């Protein structure tokens, strides 16, 4: 899952890390040259001073040949180089502060401290932009991600003790967390809340044809039932041939009831009846299917507005097909404008190598992804949260999903 996105992000990590190392080496190389230069200069000074001193000592010796004590002093100086060096350092005022500066320079040079400039990573970020667009990540999301990466990396000091790969991965993780920072929604909390007032939670599923609404309803019913909640389904897709029978098949497999009318009946009426049924029997959750519709079809969009107006659901969930990439994002925006989506279920993520929709859809409409459809079995519905996504994108394990079909 998210295979190609994962590869693209790890490529960026290694490119930026390489840039940090090479810049550090450059600095180290430059600093290395500086050290050699300083050492050579020092050697020259030492040699010059040594010659000077020996001339002085020579002339002194001549002048004071009588006084051997003095000669011994000068000889002693020439004999002990460290003493000589001290003498020279005093003379050439290398002294403590100069020494410290020298050490400091050496420290900076040896410390490989690196501060990335915008130019250092401009090409890498440009390449990342293209790669993300290729993975169907929405343009605004790509811009936001790259901007965040730049703000975190440019101008920040990276020292020898830092690990450039770690620095870059953390910056990318932060950028992705920023993009997926929509307020999360805990469906179980909502159910517990409504149970207190003996009211069912009503969830209406909307989306275009074939995205996986009916299937996702069945998977969620399966999940809720396993968590001990009672569920009833509303066959609100009275339009598509076979939709009611498909939902009945799922209901039978999972062991829940379906409230249905005949084909062509009013969708809002079916859902309304299912709500009354749930209230009368103290059922916890009503999951309402609706007919798939193109967001561009004004009449069908008016119908879904009526369904929401009449049934007043607790949640309107948009079901998007991750394989549709940017189209899924555009559809989510259209439905959100029409009926104010509360959350998203993104289906067929198991079959979606790109992964761009998962990164973009929540950002595009400012609403959280609630679940991901990851296969064709009833348990193939993953609860979505940011850390889970980040772990999938940067974790080591290769996630393999079963290709079994249960429906
Ligand atoms: N691999 C995979 N297939 C899925 C997933 N979710 C749904 N599908 C398949 O997608 C196809 C369409 O699913 P439906 O639930 O019938 O879609 P729908 O939105 O109800 O379709 P309409 O009733 O036409 O609106 C079916 O073959 C499902 O098995 C998923 O997460 N992974």
């Amino acid at each position: 899952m998210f295979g190609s996105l994962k590869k693209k992000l790890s490529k960026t990590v290694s490119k930026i890390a390489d840039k940090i190392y090479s810049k550090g080496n450059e600095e180290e190389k430059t600093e290395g040259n500086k050290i050699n230069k300083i050492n050579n200069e020092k050697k020259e000074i030492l040699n010059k001073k040594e010659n000077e001193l020996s001339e002085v000592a020579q002339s002194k010796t001549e002048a004071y040949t009588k006084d051997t004590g003095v000669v011994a002093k000068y000889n002693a100086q020439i004999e002990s180089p460290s003493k000589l060096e001290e003498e020279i350092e005093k003379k050439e005022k290398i002294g403590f502060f100069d020494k410290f500066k020298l050490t400091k320079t050496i420290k900076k040079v040896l410390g490989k401290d690196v501060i990335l400039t915008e130019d250092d990573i401009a090409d890498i970020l440009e390449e990342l932009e293209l790669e993300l667009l290729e993975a169907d990540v929405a343009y605004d999301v790509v811009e936001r991600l790259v901007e965040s990466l730049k703000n975190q990396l440019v101008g920040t000091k990276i020292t020898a003790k830092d690990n450039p790969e770690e620095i870059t991965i953390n910056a990318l993780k932060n950028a992705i967390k920023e993009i997926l920072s929509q307020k999360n929604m805990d469906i179980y909390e909502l159910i517990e809340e409504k149970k207190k007032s003996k009211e069912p939670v009503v969830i209406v599923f909307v989306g275009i044809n074939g995205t996986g609404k009916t299937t996702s309803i069945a998977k969620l019913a399966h999940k809720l039932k396993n968590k001990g909640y009672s569920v009833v389904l509303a066959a609100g897709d009275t339009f598509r041939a076979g939709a009611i029978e498909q939902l009945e098949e799922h209901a039978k497999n999972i062991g829940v009831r379906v409230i249905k009318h005949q084909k062509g009946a009013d969708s809002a009426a079916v859902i309304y009846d299912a709500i009354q049924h749930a209230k009368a029997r103290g059922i916890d959750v009503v999951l309402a299917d609706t007919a798939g519709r193109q967001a561009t079809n004004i009449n069908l969009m008016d119908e879904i507005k009526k369904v929401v107006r009449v049934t007043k659901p607790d949640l309107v969930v948009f079901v998007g097909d991750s394989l549709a990439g940017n189209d899924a994002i555009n559809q989510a925006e259209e439905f959100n404008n029409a009926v104010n989506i509360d959350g998203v279920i993104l289906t067929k993520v198991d079959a979606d190598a790109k992964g761009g929709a998962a990164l973009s859809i929540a950002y595009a409409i400012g609403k959280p992804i609630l679940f991901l459809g990851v296969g064709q079995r009833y348990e193939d519905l993953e609860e979505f949260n940011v850390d889970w996504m980040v772990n999938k994108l940067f974790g080591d394990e290769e996630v393999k999903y079963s290709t079994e079909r249960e429906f």
Side-chain angles (χ1 to χ4, degrees), residues 123-187:
D123 297 351
I124 302 171
L125 293 182
E126 208 172 292
E127 192 186 330
L128 174 64
E129 258 191 51
L130 294 174
E131 299 262 17
L132 290 175
L133 289 170
E134 226 176 65
D136 268 347
V137 180
Y139 182 74
D140 297 353
V141 174
V142 172
E143 287 297 290
R144 177 75 190 269
L145 223 154
V146 168
E147 199 51 36
S148 167
L149 207 49
K150 204 188 306 177
N151 295 340
Q152 292 179 72
L153 290 174
V154 171
T156 324
K157 183 192 279 191
I158 299 160
T159 64
K161 67 179 189 321
D162 291 327
N163 170 333
E165 282 83 0
E166 229 166 80
I167 296 252
T168 313
I169 287 175
N170 288 338
L172 262 172
K173 282 183 177 178
N174 293 336
I176 286 170
K177 285 178 181 175
E178 279 169 31
I179 284 164
L180 295 172
S181 60
Q182 295 70 28
K183 188 172 168 322
N184 220 335
M185 147 97 53
D186 186 322
I187 210 162

Side-chain angles (χ1 to χ4, degrees), residues 225-287:
K225 201 159 173 287
N226 287 348
K227 284 181 180 288
Y229 295 115
S230 52
V231 179
V232 65
L233 308 186
D237 181 351
T238 57
F239 178 74
R240 173 171 67 87
I244 297 172
E245 294 71 13
Q246 183 191 7
L247 198 66
E248 281 184 304
E249 181 64 20
H250 284 312
K252 197 158 88 315
N253 295 342
I254 296 163
V256 294
R257 276 206 61 177
V258 181
I259 302 299
K260 61 176 184 171
H261 291 188
Q262 74 289 356
K263 186 174 174 323
D266 174 31
S267 184
V270 178
I271 300 171
Y272 183 81
D273 283 357
I275 296 169
Q276 300 317 311
H277 171 89
K279 281 181 177 170
R281 289 162 182 75
I283 289 176
D284 300 322
V285 186
V286 177
L287 300 178

